[in-house]
Amino acid sequence: MIPLIDLSQSREQVADELARTLEHVGFFIIVNHGVPKTQIQGMFAEAERFHAQPDEAKHAVLMNEHNNGYMAMARYNVRTSRVSEAEARPDMNEAFFVKRERGPDDPLAGRRFTGPNRWPDDLPGFRETVLGYCETVDRLAVSILPALSLSLGLPHDWFTPHFTRSQFSFRLSHYPPVAREPGSYGIAPHTDTNFLTFLAQSDVPGLQIRPELGEWEDVPFVEDSFVVNTGDMLHRWTNGRYKSTPHRALPPIGRHRYAIPYFFGPNLDAEIRCVPTCASPDHPPRWPPVIYGDHLAWWYDSNYNANDQKDLAAE
């Protein structure tokens, strides 16, 4: 059972529910989140519009070294997760990735994952809609940080300095209806590598989670909600206290499925070090500190290496 959390409650109530949920399930559904329904619908429409383009147009914005741009169908799957399946085939989805838009005067300009984004030439309004949606969901994510800090027995502003310029990744995914066969997935079993993931729900099923020691279960559809899950960075920051729960997406049946997950991460220079309330002499830190940007470089090169699409660029 995936808990539902109403964000209109007090911060303390939300914190209590987060603690129970993330220690045992790692997934929850939020309502009264403040993101306008029209903005969510508009973003789904843009995802469909992008993927309806001919391959030639999509190949013109293939993923670059910052892992921004188009990822072609059946090119990748996550290989580094503790739940990765060796026999899994490449994921049956195509996607378009965007990260924080940064100008040349940004203090981080010139570093990997700081841009530039890639934008299609013939989709008027696409860039503005995508960036506007990312800004809105980023505010939502930041607004949850105080309750999350309190849930760990930390001061309410403990996480805030680590997210002044969050390193997010936004993905517009398309899952075509294909035959369900062993080893074939829309997205194979994995855990997310970021801090928290925010997925606006659609009524086309496919997403499943596997709580600890449990069986795969469907994520229920709740109108006007987001599914939120813990990623590996929060799992690592909390010394394993908060789950990073395996999930997968099955190919849809009879309908195309579009998904717009927003992967919320800390600043590139944030140090992921065990929080003080999650370690003790009997439970020392399980992982050494790591800089988030360094972790991202390892993860992307291991799972979504842009060089894997060079043959498409030559076509």
Side-chain angles (χ1 to χ4, degrees):
M1 182 67 177
I2 300 175
L4 187 146
I5 298 179
D6 186 342
L7 294 187
S8 67
Q9 302 177 98
S10 72
R11 187 168 63 186
E12 289 72 22
Q13 287 174 308
V14 172
D16 288 344
E17 293 186 18
L18 285 175
R20 289 193 298 272
T21 297
L22 297 183
E23 286 182 1
H24 300 289
V25 183
F27 267 75
F28 56 100
I29 295 171
I30 57 173
V31 294
N32 291 319
H33 45 70
V35 180
K37 186 174 184 177
T38 54
Q39 191 172 23
I40 295 172
Q41 292 171 333
M43 197 62 258
F44 274 113
E46 291 298 330
E48 185 170 355
R49 186 163 73 119
F50 175 86
H51 289 296
Q53 296 181 107
D55 286 345
E56 180 182 359
K58 291 182 283 190
H59 291 178
V61 289
L62 283 175
M63 186 184 289
N64 60 19
E65 69 275 16
H66 302 287
N67 294 90
N68 298 329
Y70 176 66
M71 181 186 75
M73 184 78 69
R75 286 274 157 168
Y76 303 93
N77 57 23
V78 175
R79 309 177 184 96
T80 59
S81 170
R82 68 181 188 276
V83 295
S84 296
E85 296 181 359
E87 68 275 15
R89 304 173 189 175
D91 293 336
M92 288 304 298
N93 75 80
E94 56 181 338
F96 180 77
F97 291 88
V98 173
K99 293 184 178 62
R100 180 175 291 280
E101 190 91 322
R102 300 176 188 265
D105 58 343
D106 189 285
L108 296 179
R111 286 182 52 176
R112 190 173 179 195
F113 307 124
T114 64
N117 284 310
R118 305 206 70 187
W119 299 105
D121 291 332
D122 299 322
L123 293 181
F126 177 79
R127 176 180 178 274
E128 292 76 14
T129 301
V130 168
L131 292 179
Y133 181 83
C134 288
E135 183 177 348
T136 299
V137 181
D138 194 68
R139 286 198 300 268
L140 167 63
V142 168
S143 74
I144 292 176
L145 292 176
L148 189 61
S149 296
L150 291 176
S151 77
L152 291 163
L154 299 165
H156 71 88
D157 58 352
W158 195 92
F159 278 116
T160 303
H162 301 289
F163 291 86
T164 54
R165 294 281 281 173
S166 66
Q167 182 61 30
F168 67 77
S169 181
F170 181 49
R171 174 176 180 150
L172 287 70
S173 298
H174 168 224
Y175 299 85
V178 296
R180 293 184 176 181
E181 300 173 347
S184 180
Y185 299 96
I187 289 185
H190 67 285
T191 58
D192 290 344
T193 196
N194 53 296
F195 185 80
L196 288 173
T197 300
F198 292 77
L199 177 68
Q201 283 205 277
S202 78
D203 62 353
V204 181
L207 180 62
Q208 296 184 322
I209 74 167
R210 192 182 69 194
E212 191 173 42
L213 303 179
E215 301 295 326
W216 289 102
E217 61 181 73
D218 294 330
V219 173
F221 173 66
V222 177
E223 184 76 30
D224 194 24
S225 72
F226 281 81
V227 178
V228 185
N229 65 275
T230 309
D232 293 342
M233 288 302 96
L234 183 51
H235 179 68
R236 184 168 179 155
W237 230 326
T238 60
N239 208 23
R241 175 176 169 183
Y242 282 176
K243 306 299 183 187
S244 182
T245 299
H247 50 288
R248 67 185 185 183
L250 300 180
I253 298 175
R255 298 171 65 187
H256 292 260
R257 178 173 178 254
Y258 297 90
I260 50 174
Y262 179 89
F263 301 100
F264 179 61
N267 304 337
L268 274 176
D269 289 330
E271 183 182 63
I272 314 302
R273 177 189 293 270
C274 179
V275 300
T277 56
C278 293
S280 68
D282 295 330
H283 188 52
R286 295 166 58 184
W287 299 279
V290 65
I291 301 300
Y292 188 53
D294 295 340
H295 173 82
L296 282 183
W298 165 79
W299 189 87
Y300 274 109
D301 288 344
S302 300
N303 298 292
Y304 292 100
N305 194 314
N307 291 329
D308 292 347
Q309 300 203 60
K310 283 185 175 179
D311 56 327
L312 287 174
E315 291 179 2

